[in-house]
Amino acid sequence: MGIYNLETLFDPRTIGLVGRFDCHSCQDRAIYRNLLASAGRRVVMINLAGCRSDGDCPFRERGPCVTSLAEVEGRVDLLVVTLPLAEIPALLAACPALGVKNMIVTRGGVAADGKADERLVLAAARENGVRLLGCNSFGLVVPGRRLNVSFFEPTPAPGKIALISQSGAIISSILDLGRRQGIGFSHVVSLGSLLDVDFGDAIDYLGWEYNVRCILLYIENLKDVKKFLSACRSVARIKPIVAIKSGKGELARQVISKHTGHFAGDDRVYDTALRRAGVIRVETITDLLTAGSSLTSREMPAGERLGVVTNSGGVGVLLVDNLASLGLAAAPLPPALKEALLADIKPYSGALNPVCISSEADNDRFLATLRLCLERGGFATLMVAMVGNGRFDPAAVINGVRALAAERGVRMIYIWLGIGEEGAARAPALEDRHNMIFFSVEEAVRVYYYGMRYYEKVHKIVIVPPRFNRTLEFDRRRAAAALLPLAGSRPRLLSESAAREILAAYRLPVNPVQVVYDFAAAAEAAARLGYPVVLKDNDHRRYHRSDVHGVYLGLHDRRALRRAWDALAAAGGPGVHGFTIQRQLEPLQYELHLGVRTDREFGPYLYLGLGGPQARLRRDEAVILPPLNRLLAEKLIDKTRLEECRRFFPFDRERLAEILVRLSQLVVDFPQVYELSLDPLAVSNGRFAVLDAKLILWDRGRRSPEHLATTPYPNQYEFRERLRDGTEVLIRPIRPEDVESHYEFVASLSRQTTYNRFFSYEKELPVEQMARFTQIDYDREIAIVARVEEDGRERTIGVNRLVYYPHNDEYEFAIVVADDWQGSGIGGLLMEKLIAIARDRGIRRIYGLVLAENQKMLRFSRRFGFRVAEREEDALRIVLELDNDGKGGETAAAGGSPAAD
């Protein structure tokens, strides 16, 4: 349901507490005290046991204490319910009369009836338009609004960090630690069992709150993976998201299942999913708070170059080791800086970074060194480890370079060691967003590490995926003909020959194989293929053939083939499945193990590692979620040890990436692929060949791409059309690799067209903005580009974009056409296609903002059924209702493209 009603959940004016309690004894419970302390809000106590205080009810001083919902006067925004789940549906049925929009459910189901009760509660909530936080929720806190509807006390201090967790106990632990460290929070949300409001909803809402600068998550499992990943991708571009994901091992996942009632997925899949969604993962509560605090209160790095200055060689070594343990390193010193340091700083350790300037360094030496590093180092961050020696004043050093560091845009991280308590007391007065002071190497390095993690996620998002040397083609019809008749409502393991037929349709490098049913046919096939050959049992019931002597390798002549045939036949073959025969690949340099599995939460994922018998232990596997492009495929390769193997036995890295992309496309196209193992994918003289394949099909009634955690490129929205003058134009969704042509397109726009589209004459778009335009989340938005061929290359001549704003639950369109193509009909085609896509996605309304002076655009939009809804300063808000009766955009578009397009 998205963020529907959440505004009143986080800022209710009237709160009702429903339960059965003694009005005197319940004052000792935290939630009652917190409710009564919530400022500026009306609190209604609804005691279903009846108020037996004989006129001395303590709650009547703050608000009414009644015995049923029917007695409540006025509207109620939020109900906090402490009743058993079985009683809540009846309570929900009475909510519309009171205007109740949200409910916090503090209790969970009991034993076997719990799940059934939860389903009834959820159905009743949706029927009556009420959002649920829970079950088993500890409530929520918004300290800045003095709102505490929870069991947590005392109320945490206000801050800029939002904390979202399934576990109320974990929240208590985090709040206790945060209190000791002086860390405040903007919002604290206990989601409980995720019955309705879940991580995706909370992230979508809090991600757009002005006073939230960082979001912290504690995750046990997820209910709606696709919504969660989509929300994270959207929000992580503008503010950091940091998460702990519990349940790494199988036993821990079993505990989560018992605790929450839901299965948790493979931790490796969680790891790759969080990384792909832009979430920074940490391991401990201490790390979670450290990351949240540093990313909220500190200046983010402006680049990757790190300089280190210290007056202790030992501390310098410790710093280097700590950085290396986190995959970081100090940058090489530029030649100009090396020369200046050698000439001006005595003594000096040489041309290394860290720059060690002797244990006898005083104010002058520190200042001289830091000024040289700031002026000639080109550093984005300068880390200064200062070990007290009685010869320098740390405050004087910091203040001495403060202005120069700000001028150069360099972030300063100071580490004070052996300074003493008196000196440490001065640290807070010297700190600001650009100057940080720490009292241990480990803490300073970890804060720098989290800053760099976020820097990489934000500033390295414009990466154009490399293209393959040829267009990848797939025979989907051939694969469907082989696959769909075999997929049923239960898992089914295919024979090796059937699996190979499907793989061949996707141009995967299967080693040629022939199915044979008698020895004569086997001998004939071996002679044709050439010895040595491999003979296998084709019976799909034998998953690991080598375990049951179902595979015979290295058959160099007819007699060896005869012996192998007789052995297999004696074990129960060839039967109806036959045996398979293939040429043995020689020399076999090494084996790869790759394929597809289906995770309980995230659906299909790909894995890759070294092969052989040890592959069954999964000790050397890297995993990734589909869909893949070449860039993601190469990232998967980089996670394995294959690059080490490549030094001894080279292979075509691009070809392996292509195999992974082809495998990914097979999984994207066919939800019936439940498990697929290419074991092994052999490497011989740099060439790849699938020597064995095991494929399990299971039709669970899902259509592509419903089965994927991440929505793939929507190729169903590709159209080929002709303009009025006969020019052929391709209209398709935008891709990440369009970034260069998009820069060219924006640069080609005239000053007036630029102003009409962006409400500004500025044409130099920041890198982050261009990434936002080209690397879109197909789950929640769409951008279609019109492309024509000119002088042998494709050019973008128009763009129409539909963006989803979860905070308002609205879709905004924005269209722009290159000046020299206006009036060609391309604008009308782009609008017609975008409206059709909106209808296909079930969107009921789209709007746009048009400058009031842009009469050409207003006339254009009216042709498609848009109407002016309201004026917003110098712009008009135009709206198109997409009814289900076929009116609106399609009717308007049927009259032909507008003249103004």
Side-chain angles (χ1 to χ4, degrees):
M1 294 183 70
I3 63 172
Y4 173 70
N5 279 355
L6 296 194
E7 191 69 44
T8 51
L9 174 65
F10 287 101
D11 192 15
R13 307 317 305 163
T14 300
I15 306 168
L17 178 64
V18 186
R20 292 184 178 87
F21 39 78
D22 181 279
C23 292
H24 284 286
S25 64
C26 71
Q27 292 182 91
D28 297 330
R29 300 183 184 180
I31 192 166
Y32 306 118
R33 292 194 296 270
N34 290 335
L35 271 174
L36 296 181
S38 293
R41 302 173 199 278
R42 177 172 172 254
V43 179
V44 180
M45 310 303 291
I46 306 161
N47 187 352
L48 301 185
C51 183
R52 295 187 292 272
S53 300
D54 298 325
D56 188 28
C57 176
F59 298 116
R60 294 187 185 276
E61 299 177 5
R62 285 293 314 273
C65 182
V66 299
T67 60
S68 70
L69 280 181
E71 297 177 44
V72 178
E73 296 180 359
R75 294 177 61 87
V76 177
D77 298 313
L78 171 64
L79 284 182
V80 182
V81 181
T82 62
L83 298 172
L85 292 191
E87 298 184 46
I88 294 179
L91 196 67
L92 285 162
C95 285
L98 290 174
V100 176
K101 300 297 185 184
N102 299 279
M103 180 181 290
I104 297 176
V105 181
T106 65
R107 296 175 66 172
V110 179
D113 297 330
K115 284 296 169 191
D117 288 340
E118 284 190 358
R119 289 193 291 269
L120 291 173
V121 168
L122 182 59
R126 291 185 171 167
E127 181 180 349
N128 293 285
V130 178
R131 300 304 305 273
L132 300 175
L133 185 62
C135 304
N136 284 321
S137 172
F138 276 42
L140 62 89
V141 188
V142 186
R145 294 173 180 165
R146 297 184 62 188
L147 172 67
N148 189 342
V149 191
S150 77
F151 294 96
F152 306 119
E153 59 176 1
T155 299
K160 301 292 185 182
I161 298 174
L163 172 61
I164 309 169
S165 169
Q166 281 171 277
S167 168
I170 294 295
I171 290 179
S172 295
S173 175
I174 293 172
L175 295 183
D176 286 345
L177 184 58
R179 191 176 303 113
R180 292 196 294 271
Q181 296 182 2
I183 297 173
F185 296 86
S186 64
H187 301 75
V188 178
V189 187
S190 170
L191 294 175
S193 64
L194 313 177
L195 187 59
D196 177 20
V197 177
D198 59 13
F199 281 105
D201 298 329
I203 292 168
D204 260 335
Y205 180 83
L206 296 175
W208 299 95
E209 285 284 273
Y210 73 94
N211 61 333
V212 175
R213 294 197 60 186
C214 179
I215 297 176
L216 306 185
L217 309 176
Y218 171 79
I219 304 170
E220 292 176 350
N221 54 16
L222 298 169
K223 185 184 71 174
D224 189 330
V225 165
K226 185 170 289 191
K227 180 169 63 173
F228 169 77
L229 295 178
S230 181
C232 287
R233 283 193 297 268
S234 176
V235 172
R237 291 176 179 270
I238 57 175
K239 55 190 66 175
I241 302 176
V242 187
I244 292 178
K245 168 60 183 77
S246 61
K248 287 195 167 186
E250 184 58 34
L251 177 58
R253 289 195 287 275
Q254 290 177 19
V255 173
I256 288 174
S257 177
K258 294 291 185 183
H259 169 56
T260 66
H262 300 280
F263 290 108
D266 190 315
D267 187 72
R268 300 171 306 160
V269 182
Y270 261 100
D271 198 61
T272 190
L274 292 173
R275 193 186 316 276
R276 193 155 169 183
V279 177
I280 299 171
R281 186 176 182 181
V282 297
E283 301 298 328
T284 68
I285 288 175
T286 300
D287 288 343
L288 187 73
L289 278 178
T290 299
S293 177
S294 63
L295 293 170
T296 301
S297 59
R298 313 296 187 185
E299 186 73 17
M300 292 295 103
E304 297 177 273
R305 285 186 55 81
L306 169 67
V308 178
V309 175
T310 180
N311 63 336
S312 166
V315 172
V317 173
L318 188 63
L319 263 167
V320 169
D321 283 347
N322 270 266
L323 289 167
S325 70
L326 296 172
L328 302 170
L333 299 183
L337 177 58
K338 291 181 190 177
E339 295 173 6
L341 289 171
L342 287 170
D344 299 340
I345 307 301
K346 307 293 185 181
Y348 163 54
S349 61
L352 299 177
N353 188 6
V355 176
C356 297
I357 56 173
S358 160
S359 60
E360 299 181 355
D362 55 13
N363 282 354
D364 290 340
R365 188 176 298 169
F366 261 115
L367 289 171
T369 304
L370 293 178
R371 285 168 182 152
L372 285 174
C373 289
L374 290 168
E375 291 171 350
R376 305 189 186 188
F379 299 120
T381 303
L382 201 52
M383 194 175 289
V384 186
M386 313 169 80
V387 181
N389 60 10
R391 296 172 178 268
F392 66 89
D393 177 6
V397 173
I398 292 175
N399 288 326
V401 295
R402 188 187 297 270
L404 180 59
E407 177 188 329
R408 299 282 177 165
V410 178
R411 192 174 66 142
M412 303 296 293
I413 298 177
Y414 295 96
I415 307 170
W416 287 8
L417 304 173
I419 301 298
E421 292 185 7
E422 184 178 337
R426 296 187 293 165
L430 295 168
E431 286 190 296
D432 55 35
R433 288 186 60 81
H434 308 280
N435 294 270
M436 296 167 272
I437 300 174
F438 300 95
F439 298 96
S440 74
V441 168
E442 293 78 10
E443 184 183 9
V445 169
R446 193 152 288 275
V447 166
Y448 174 72
Y449 167 70
Y450 292 130
M452 288 308 302
R453 289 273 301 272
Y454 189 59
Y455 169 85
E456 289 175 358
K457 293 182 183 302
V458 172
H459 294 278
K460 289 190 173 182
I461 52 180
V462 185
I463 301 176
V464 180
R467 295 176 180 271
F468 290 108
N469 291 328
R470 62 184 180 280
T471 301
L472 302 189
E473 296 180 348
F474 314 95
D475 193 341
R476 293 180 176 87
R477 289 187 178 181
R478 176 184 170 189
L483 183 153
L484 295 180
L486 300 176
S489 59
R490 294 183 178 180
R492 177 177 181 178
L493 174 63
L494 303 191
S495 66
E496 181 190 4
S497 56
R500 285 173 173 269
E501 170 67 15
I502 294 167
L503 297 178
Y506 273 69
R507 311 291 195 268
L508 287 158
V510 291
N511 204 31
V513 66
Q514 183 173 334
V515 181
V516 292
Y517 295 91
D518 56 59
F519 179 74
E524 180 183 344
R528 185 176 63 258
L529 293 169
Y531 289 98
V533 294
V534 177
L535 188 68
K536 298 183 187 179
D537 190 338
N538 194 38
D539 190 339
H540 66 274
R541 293 171 295 181
R542 299 177 179 179
Y543 192 86
H544 292 295
R545 297 179 185 87
S546 57
D547 292 349
V548 292
H549 305 290
V551 179
Y552 286 86
L553 305 171
L555 308 177
H556 285 82
D557 53 36
R558 184 185 177 93
R559 284 189 299 175
L561 178 62
R562 177 85 250 186
R563 289 194 295 271
W565 181 276
D566 292 343
L568 281 180
V576 297
H577 303 287
F579 299 153
T580 64
I581 190 167
Q582 61 181 293
R583 181 178 175 84
Q584 181 161 321
L585 204 63
E586 291 184 333
L588 187 60
Q589 292 162 334
Y590 46 87
E591 299 177 359
L592 305 185
H593 178 56
L594 77 157
V596 178
R597 298 191 189 97
T598 299
D599 183 74
R600 287 169 169 172
E601 290 189 277
F602 289 89
Y605 67 91
L606 278 73
Y607 61 87
L608 172 67
L610 289 173
Q614 70 274 19
R616 298 183 199 172
L617 302 177
R618 305 189 192 178
R619 290 179 178 172
D620 183 45
E621 285 183 3
V623 304
I624 196 167
L625 293 172
L628 300 187
N629 55 25
R630 181 178 170 184
L631 176 66
L632 292 173
E634 292 188 348
K635 284 187 175 183
L636 179 62
I637 296 170
D638 289 338
K639 292 181 184 178
T640 69
R641 293 165 49 199
L642 295 179
E643 203 59 33
E644 299 174 26
C645 301
R646 212 169 157 230
R647 290 185 296 172
F648 302 100
F649 299 106
F651 62 82
D652 187 342
R653 181 184 169 96
E654 180 181 337
R655 176 61 174 150
L656 179 56
E658 179 188 326
I659 290 170
L660 290 168
V661 171
R662 289 184 179 279
L663 195 61
S664 166
Q665 192 61 49
L666 174 63
V667 175
V668 168
D669 290 342
F670 293 99
Q672 297 84 359
V673 175
Y674 183 72
E675 186 173 326
L676 172 59
S677 172
L678 308 186
D679 185 16
L681 175 68
V683 181
S684 176
N685 293 325
R687 186 173 67 88
F688 294 96
V690 176
L691 302 187
D692 198 359
K694 300 176 182 69
L695 174 58
I696 297 177
L697 300 180
W698 187 5
D699 188 349
R700 289 162 293 165
R702 296 180 181 176
R703 295 190 310 163
S704 180
E706 295 171 356
H707 64 304
L708 301 174
T710 301
T711 298
Y713 172 82
N715 52 21
Q716 70 270 28
Y717 297 145
E718 291 187 348
F719 312 96
R720 290 197 176 272
E721 302 285 349
R722 287 193 179 274
L723 300 181
R724 294 167 182 158
D725 62 0
T727 301
E728 185 175 289
V729 58
L730 170 64
I731 297 175
R732 62 162 173 80
I734 202 165
R735 297 170 177 158
E737 51 264 41
D738 290 333
V739 61
E740 292 182 8
S741 61
H742 213 65
Y743 268 122
E744 294 175 3
F745 170 69
V746 173
S748 74
L749 300 178
S750 68
R751 179 178 170 85
Q752 188 59 50
T753 298
T754 300
Y755 185 72
N756 287 341
R757 167 59 181 89
F758 300 106
F759 295 6
S760 165
Y761 292 115
E762 180 59 53
K763 297 176 68 171
E764 294 295 327
L765 296 180
V767 170
E768 294 83 1
Q769 181 74 0
M770 186 56 72
R772 184 74 183 83
F773 281 161
T774 56
Q775 298 181 24
I776 67 172
D777 181 353
Y778 298 120
D779 274 323
R780 60 174 59 199
E781 60 186 298
I782 193 73
I784 52 175
V785 293
R787 311 265 288 178
V788 297
E789 187 171 319
E790 289 184 348
D791 301 325
R793 61 187 295 266
E794 282 193 349
R795 174 192 169 193
T796 297
I797 62 170
V799 183
N800 203 0
R801 190 176 300 274
L802 193 62
V803 180
Y804 177 61
Y805 294 106
H807 214 64
N808 302 318
D809 195 26
E810 292 183 318
Y811 290 85
E812 179 186 12
F813 87 92
I815 185 171
V816 61
V817 174
D819 290 78
D820 50 344
W821 288 87
Q822 292 178 13
S824 67
I826 191 58
L829 284 173
L830 284 170
M831 184 58 74
E832 179 184 332
K833 301 305 181 186
L834 193 75
I835 291 172
I837 292 170
R839 288 185 183 280
D840 183 62
R841 294 190 165 198
I843 297 170
R844 303 190 63 86
R845 171 190 287 191
I846 62 177
Y847 81 94
L849 294 177
V850 181
L851 289 171
E853 65 190 52
N854 190 356
Q855 292 298 311
K856 184 178 179 182
M857 181 61 194
L858 291 172
R859 289 194 300 271
F860 171 79
S861 62
R862 280 195 292 268
R863 295 288 299 273
F864 287 87
F866 284 89
R867 60 177 177 81
V868 176
E870 58 184 307
R871 189 182 186 101
E872 299 182 10
E873 297 181 350
D874 295 332
L876 299 176
R877 181 185 178 93
I878 60 173
V879 175
L880 175 65
E881 304 288 347
L882 298 176
D883 315 347
N884 291 323
D885 59 5
K887 296 179 181 178
E890 288 186 348
T891 302
S897 300
D901 60 6

